[in-house]
Amino acid sequence: MPEPSRTSYRAFSLGLAVVFALVGGVFLLWPREMLALFNAISRRLGMSEGPVERSFFGVLAAAYMYVVTILAWFMYRFPGEKVYPLILCQAKLVSSLLSFLMFFFHAPWLVYLVNGIVDGGLGLVVLMMFFNVRAAAGRGVR
């Protein structure tokens, strides 16, 4: 991988790791407040509100954010490895797909829609990075 591409890849990966860690902390420490914020915005937009309660799912969301944080960190630390962006893009694309399915088939909650858009975008960017890393590895660049 050429050095400018490698530097950009590493910077983006580090940024993802930091953001995922922060979001995971919010999910774990303030799940009610995070959902209340989305509900306040939903009211203003005329959308349905989601339930605001602390639950086991907050723990699962924080664990998921931990895993994607580690994947992004490993992308930063080991930019020539193909497996980390491949796994991260799958996690984000599946999260996006499930969020859109929940938005359309469960309830039109803003939090589903936003997560579908954000994780879909991140998943596609990381998928492009995976193809770049794979192409560089095929050329013997590491």
Side-chain angles (χ1 to χ4, degrees):
M1 175 182 300
E3 192 55 39
S5 295
R6 183 182 182 98
T7 301
S8 296
Y9 176 92
R10 291 189 75 218
F12 184 77
S13 301
L14 180 59
L16 286 178
V18 169
V19 169
F20 294 157
L22 292 173
V23 171
V26 169
F27 286 167
L28 184 62
L29 300 173
W30 301 288
R32 181 179 298 255
E33 293 80 0
M34 188 268 309
L35 289 173
L37 171 67
F38 274 95
N39 281 341
I41 298 169
S42 294
R43 274 191 301 278
R44 290 188 183 121
L45 296 174
M47 297 177 72
S48 301
E49 296 180 36
V52 178
E53 59 186 54
R54 188 175 210 52
S55 72
F56 178 63
F57 295 105
V59 173
L60 296 178
Y64 167 79
M65 292 309 296
Y66 170 80
V67 171
V68 296
T69 298
I70 292 302
L71 288 170
W73 177 254
F74 284 171
M75 287 170 59
Y76 166 73
R77 293 282 296 138
F78 310 106
E81 291 296 325
K82 296 179 287 190
V83 69
Y84 303 123
L86 180 61
I87 295 170
L88 180 58
C89 81
Q90 289 179 55
K92 288 296 171 185
L93 291 175
V94 168
S95 172
S96 174
L97 175 65
L98 292 174
S99 293
F100 283 129
L101 289 173
M102 293 299 284
F103 180 83
F104 289 111
F105 296 109
H106 176 251
W109 294 342
L110 181 62
V111 71
Y112 288 150
L113 183 61
V114 169
N115 192 68
I117 292 167
V118 170
D119 276 5
L122 288 172
L124 292 174
V125 169
V126 175
L127 182 62
M128 289 186 295
M129 292 177 148
F130 163 75
F131 287 123
N132 287 340
V133 170
R134 188 175 75 171
R139 292 189 306 271
V141 179
R142 190 134 176 157

